[in-house]
Amino acid sequence: MAWTKKILRVNLTSGSITEEPLNMEWANDYLGQRGLATRYLVDEIDPATDALGPDNKLIMTTGPLTGTVASTGGRYSVVCKSPLTNAVACSNSGGFFGAEMKFAGLDMIIFEGKASSPMYLNIEDDKAELLSADALWGKSVWEADKIMRTTHSDPQARIACVGRSAEEGNLYAAIVNDLHRAAGRSGVGTVMASKNLKAVIIRGTKGLGNLRDPKAFLSAANAGKKVLAENAVTGQGLPAYGTQVLMNVINEVGALPTRNMKETQFEGASNVGGEAMLEPRKSDGKPNLTTNGACFSCTIACGRISTIDRTHFSVKDKPEYWINSGGLEYEAAWALGPDTGVDDIDALTYANFLCNEDGMDPISFGSTLAAAMELYETGAITKDQTGGMELKFGSAEALCWAAEVTAKGEGFGKDLGLGSKRLCEKYGKPELSMTVKGQEFPAYDPRGIQGIGLAYATSNRGACHLRGYTIASEILGIPEKTDPLDAAGKPGLVKAFQDATSAVDSAGLCVFTTFAWTMDDIAPQVDAACDGNWTTEKMMEVGERIWNMEREFNSKAGLTGADDTLPKRLLTEAANAGPAQGKVNELDKMLPEYYQLRGWTADGTVTSETHQKFGLPG
Amino acid sequence: MKITFKLFATLGDLLPANAVRNIASIDIEPDASLNDIIDRYQVPRELAHLVLINGVFVCDTDRDQKGQLKEGDVLAIWPPVAGG
């Protein structure tokens, strides 16, 4: 076993904190993290409940390999019902917080109810206490982090915290851990703040001594690390350029959504990509990128640590931002850059810093701003709403201003905090929202990459690249190259990626390992760590079980097959340039086959046969 | 004839001196194959992973074919990369 077999249950209404054993029968069926916590959520909440009400629960959860020496074994997730999508939410984060949970002896922390005043949870091994967060409320993540470190006098404690955006009800607020890693998507931070829970600070010193077969585990983990080191992507490309290497790739293939997805190539892409982050700037001769960085136990180290040019208008009078901090990753850079038409890398980095500082999902923020810019350019939003700011595509000033007001929930920042769907509805143009199930798109245009369109449409947490990253195959040739413009064969590809990713997420590993690892590299590591004979086949079965369980949760929350769609723009307005010119996404050709492969009805409902096959709850 | 030649990521240093960032204008023989150009600029073939003509992927078995390029085309090459 690599589970600690212990859950901490924190009732914020009553203030009670209790320990309970992990349900090992469920662990055998759902492994850990994403799968296992969702199994608890399904058991404990009504899917139709108000996501921001006290009956929703928030689960911080680790996988069996979290805290181990398996490469990337430091992931944790936050599971709850999402206020952005009203679907199941599971947001995954790296950094060091998840491993610290394990070192304090915990597989999961389940938060329920709502505190009557702001609180934070302090954990020191077996001690757990709720403390007043009166001094933290109204502070940014970075400010609150500093205060807690001073209060607890422990520089080695790990902190997960929400910022002012969450407190102000921003619907895509994140939970930021270790200052610049985040459980970013679907508004999990909003749920945390709705419970009057500001932060969790953990110090664990117990280590991890519960591997099923330590010798076999070390051998399997070392074999896995060798594969990562010898692979050109995970051994060289990601450490050197990070995910941002994709900016020029995706632009070249004509699938870089630009200006709220009106266009598919961005003329300024080369100014904001991975190569540009390495160019010395005129003012001080230093590049944007200072160094790469790694999360706990990771041997890839794709993270970006960056600075902003001190002479840039956004920070020239703000020395507090003359720091090295979490820099641009591809998805954030796309949303803040090409999607808003801004090609100023310092403006993007500043907006990204603010997203980290106050806990906002930069994908949803950038995409929502892009929608606001189109609303502004069509006249649906005017300076009356923005307080005088010209919200034009391409304006770095507008981007920096919007990040500032949204981070604090001030003025028009309140509107931007609604997310793209509700913003566009409010201003009478719902068709301008580039969302699925209310969640904003990531950085790939489904007209130029057909399979990712199906992955977006069927993702259980709304538009998301991390639920089935078919880009690996369709663009990058991993494990095999498929034609991005051809819809044929994509339903099977999407399903395979979705199921495999569910299992990887549930192990406590980073999905980036799968650029080099197959399930045959992962299963031996899980098996050596955990009881239960974890073969490749069992991992894939567990992945598919999780996918179906999430789907059934969403059905009970009121979502149907009609929600498995894309914005009209992507289905009817052809790509304007590049290889995909003249093409729309052919979702109608892919969706019926996908439902069939899933064992669902023609309208997208899990059949009773499929339900029984996987032994799903309820 | 002239084409636009782009090398990205770790291959960027192999571009000719006239390159701006990752882009150079180069002269090629009209019947040059992609591998002729890849070899001319000393791009290790095993690192020519993503090879695109005007954004469209060309698999490694088709890179010896003559006459795939025409005046003004864009040839872009990456080593194995990924992100997300």
Side-chain angles (χ1 to χ4, degrees):
Chain A
M1 57 154 189
W3 304 277
T4 66
K5 295 190 177 180
K6 192 166 93 179
I7 292 175
L8 199 66
R9 186 176 293 276
V10 181
N11 188 304
L12 293 159
T13 306
S14 67
S16 72
I17 300 174
T18 50
E19 290 179 6
E20 59 187 71
L22 188 71
N23 185 323
M24 293 311 295
E25 192 181 326
W26 289 355
N28 190 53
D29 286 341
Y30 296 92
L31 186 52
Q33 203 154 324
R34 174 176 163 187
L36 189 53
T38 305
R39 179 66 186 84
Y40 273 84
L41 192 77
V42 165
D43 196 60
E44 297 194 12
I45 78 163
D46 174 359
T49 198
D50 174 7
L52 297 179
D55 292 337
N56 195 6
K57 296 195 183 186
L58 183 99
I59 306 176
M60 291 182 168
T61 175
T62 62
L65 298 192
T66 307
T68 71
V69 298
S71 186
T72 79
R75 310 295 300 190
Y76 99 109
S77 289
V78 180
V79 171
C80 60
K81 179 176 177 177
S82 162
L84 187 69
T85 64
N86 284 316
V88 67
C90 175
S91 289
N92 187 310
S93 182
F96 298 82
F97 180 83
E100 203 73 21
M101 267 179 74
K102 265 293 173 57
F103 299 156
L106 298 172
D107 287 318
M108 284 188 205
I109 309 170
I110 300 178
F111 294 98
E112 50 194 30
K114 177 181 179 177
S116 57
S117 63
M119 306 295 285
Y120 71 101
L121 180 67
N122 176 48
I123 296 174
E124 295 166 26
D125 287 333
D126 291 330
K127 182 179 108 179
E129 57 185 348
L130 281 167
L131 301 172
S132 168
D134 285 347
L136 308 177
W137 205 256
K139 306 288 187 194
S140 74
V141 170
W142 293 359
E143 291 166 335
D145 190 286
K146 195 178 286 182
I147 294 169
M148 280 183 280
R149 281 188 194 288
T150 305
T151 304
H152 294 277
S153 302
D154 192 343
Q156 289 182 289
R158 299 293 175 184
I159 294 172
C161 187
V162 295
R164 290 169 289 191
S165 68
E167 294 175 14
E168 294 297 326
N170 178 312
L171 289 174
Y172 47 84
I175 300 171
V176 177
N177 59 283
D178 304 293
L179 296 177
H180 50 80
R181 307 308 306 181
R185 301 229 71 190
S186 310
V188 295
T190 321
V191 173
M192 184 159 153
S194 79
K195 297 186 171 303
N196 265 333
L197 180 66
K198 178 70 178 179
V200 178
I201 176 168
I202 302 183
R203 182 69 178 114
T205 63
K206 295 183 171 187
L208 195 75
N210 53 358
L211 298 162
R212 182 183 67 79
D213 183 341
K215 194 175 171 188
F217 179 75
L218 283 176
S219 172
N222 285 340
K225 286 175 184 174
K226 189 164 183 284
V227 172
L228 294 177
E230 290 174 355
N231 181 280
V233 171
T234 50
Q236 296 158 37
L238 278 170
Y241 291 91
T243 58
Q244 266 275 67
V245 76
L246 287 186
M247 186 67 76
N248 287 308
V249 176
I250 304 301
N251 195 47
E252 195 74 19
V253 301
L256 189 68
T258 299
R259 287 176 275 271
N260 201 34
M261 305 188 94
K262 286 198 293 184
E263 300 152 71
T264 51
Q265 286 183 316
F266 181 45
E267 66 284 357
S270 64
N271 294 330
V272 294
E275 288 85 355
M277 288 175 75
L278 297 177
E279 291 174 4
R281 51 193 173 220
K282 285 177 188 162
S283 63
D284 59 6
K286 293 178 182 169
N288 174 282
L289 182 75
T290 305
T291 186
N292 64 326
C295 299
F296 178 86
S297 201
C298 176
T299 54
I300 302 173
C302 72
R304 305 290 91 183
I305 302 297
S306 288
T307 59
I308 304 166
D309 184 343
R310 293 181 185 190
T311 65
H312 189 259
F313 74 86
S314 60
V315 299
K316 64 182 167 62
D317 300 320
K318 299 174 190 165
E320 64 270 31
Y321 294 103
W322 299 353
I323 54 172
N324 282 291
S325 192
L328 294 166
E329 315 287 350
Y330 173 59
E331 307 296 336
W334 161 76
L336 302 170
D339 206 34
T340 66
V342 176
D343 69 351
D344 175 340
I345 199 165
D346 289 299
L348 269 57
T349 307
Y350 176 63
N352 194 61
F353 275 20
L354 295 190
C355 285
N356 289 335
E357 183 183 16
D358 264 303
M360 294 192 292
D361 171 7
I363 302 177
S364 286
F365 165 69
S367 299
T368 302
L369 176 59
M373 286 173 159
E374 190 167 0
L375 288 165
Y376 183 86
E377 296 207 338
T378 61
I381 286 174
T382 68
K383 286 184 184 176
D384 289 344
Q385 282 85 39
T386 65
M389 175 56 68
E390 279 211 80
L391 217 52
K392 287 188 168 175
F393 282 120
S395 169
E397 188 189 6
L399 169 65
C400 294
W401 167 82
E404 289 169 357
V405 296
T406 310
K408 296 174 190 165
E410 295 174 349
F412 188 68
K414 278 275 188 198
D415 272 1
L416 289 171
L418 293 170
S420 170
K421 177 172 181 279
R422 290 167 180 84
L423 179 84
C424 291
E425 285 170 354
K426 177 174 178 177
Y427 289 100
K429 292 187 179 290
E431 71 279 9
L432 297 187
S433 173
M434 298 299 119
T435 51
V436 171
K437 301 180 176 85
Q439 179 155 283
E440 293 74 13
F441 281 95
Y444 313 91
D445 196 297
R447 291 167 291 199
I449 310 173
Q450 293 290 319
I452 200 69
L454 178 65
Y456 288 164
T458 58
S459 159
N460 285 330
R461 68 168 186 179
C464 175
H465 58 296
L466 291 171
R467 285 295 172 273
Y469 193 66
T470 62
I471 306 303
S473 169
E474 294 185 278
I475 299 299
L476 307 171
I478 303 169
E480 288 176 355
K481 185 79 173 70
T482 53
D483 182 352
L485 299 177
D486 191 351
K490 297 302 164 61
L493 188 74
V494 168
K495 177 179 177 294
F497 270 88
Q498 289 174 337
D499 293 345
T501 305
S502 300
V504 173
D505 287 346
S506 300
L509 299 172
C510 175
V511 74
F512 282 7
T513 56
T514 59
F515 294 132
W517 287 351
T518 67
M519 203 57 88
D520 290 339
D521 298 298
I522 295 171
Q525 298 184 63
V526 175
D527 187 56
C530 303
D531 291 326
N533 193 24
W534 290 88
T535 60
T536 292
E537 293 71 28
K538 181 172 173 178
M539 290 289 288
M540 290 304 292
E541 181 189 328
V542 164
E544 189 168 4
R545 177 179 294 117
I546 293 165
W547 192 266
N548 279 281
M549 173 176 62
E550 291 174 339
R551 179 76 176 186
E552 287 200 334
F553 178 96
N554 287 352
S555 295
K556 289 172 186 162
L559 280 78
T560 69
D563 296 297
D564 295 337
T565 190
L566 297 170
K568 196 176 158 196
R569 171 166 286 169
L570 307 177
L571 299 172
T572 62
E573 295 176 24
N576 71 318
Q581 188 167 18
K583 279 195 82 84
V584 295
N585 185 267
E586 298 174 353
L587 182 64
D588 56 338
K589 288 187 186 168
M590 299 183 280
L591 196 56
E593 184 185 340
Y594 172 82
Y595 284 167
Q596 200 173 15
L597 289 170
R598 278 265 170 238
W600 298 349
T601 65
D603 64 359
T605 304
V606 178
T607 61
S608 55
E609 291 80 11
T610 301
H611 179 95
Q612 282 165 13
K613 177 182 168 191
F614 290 107
L616 296 173
Chain B
M1 67 184 188
K2 281 194 185 305
I3 66 161
T4 300
F5 186 45
K6 302 181 181 180
L7 292 176
F8 289 97
T10 47
L11 303 181
D13 292 341
L14 299 174
L15 279 168
N18 69 336
V20 178
R21 274 195 174 150
N22 297 90
I23 303 174
S25 175
I26 61 169
D27 274 311
I28 62 163
E29 296 298 320
D31 64 346
S33 72
L34 300 189
N35 273 339
D36 289 339
I37 301 168
I38 286 167
D39 293 345
R40 178 173 143 195
Y41 289 95
Q42 298 180 318
V43 177
R45 286 196 187 188
E46 69 275 14
L47 292 184
H49 178 69
L50 271 182
V51 177
L52 311 178
I53 299 177
N54 301 324
V56 178
F57 178 73
V58 183
C59 66
D60 56 2
T61 52
D62 292 342
R63 292 175 195 164
D64 282 320
Q65 204 176 309
K66 302 282 182 191
Q68 284 192 79
L69 291 161
K70 59 183 186 305
E71 177 90 23
D73 275 352
V74 177
L75 172 63
I77 302 176
W78 280 263
V81 293

